[in-house]
Amino acid sequence: MSGIGKAAKTSKPLSQNKAWAYVVAGGALEIVWATGFKYDEIPSILVLIALLTSFELVIRATKVLPVGTTYAVFAGIGTIGTVAVESFFSGGISLLKIGIILLLLLFIIGLKLTSGEDRH
């Protein structure tokens, strides 16, 4: 086989499990960059790297997963994590906010479990 044939090697398609891992990692990075907008303790370069990496992971995941579900789960993870970090730094969280977060978590899990059902 020539060197040209090796360069033209096709990439392996992304599995759904790996795509969901990308969404979770992207959501976790969203917590970093969203929190970094408020707190100076997080260096700006880390915020920028987290922002770009999180969107790259989500973009890659949407090659395999439904865009709407992917974005909703990504944003939900970021929202829940950001509220948790904010409550940690502010010293508390209300019961109403905990209830709303749990409801959001329930909907995220529901979206994840039902993704791909409309393909049948």
Side-chain angles (χ1 to χ4, degrees):
M1 179 179 260
S2 70
I4 294 173
K6 289 180 183 177
K9 181 181 171 187
T10 58
S11 63
K12 187 177 173 183
L14 189 64
S15 71
Q16 281 209 348
N17 287 338
K18 194 169 185 177
W20 280 115
Y22 283 1
V23 174
V24 171
L29 288 171
E30 184 186 13
I31 298 167
V32 173
W33 63 256
T35 303
F37 286 156
K38 183 170 183 176
Y39 297 103
D40 292 336
E41 291 83 7
I42 300 174
S44 297
I45 188 69
L46 182 62
V47 171
L48 182 63
I49 290 170
L51 182 101
L52 295 174
T53 305
S54 70
F55 281 110
E56 176 64 25
L57 291 171
V58 170
I59 289 168
R60 287 183 185 199
T62 58
K63 306 286 185 207
V64 176
L65 303 172
V67 174
T69 303
T70 300
Y71 182 72
V73 172
F74 164 77
I77 291 169
T79 302
I80 290 170
T82 305
V83 169
V85 170
E86 180 73 26
S87 67
F88 176 78
F89 283 114
S90 69
I93 188 169
S94 69
L95 285 176
L96 179 62
K97 207 175 248 188
I98 290 172
I100 292 170
I101 288 172
L102 290 175
L103 195 59
L104 179 59
L105 185 62
L106 179 70
F107 289 135
I108 290 170
I109 292 169
L111 279 171
K112 168 39 177 113
L113 293 176
T114 59
S115 69
E117 283 188 357
D118 50 345
R119 292 184 194 154
H120 300 284

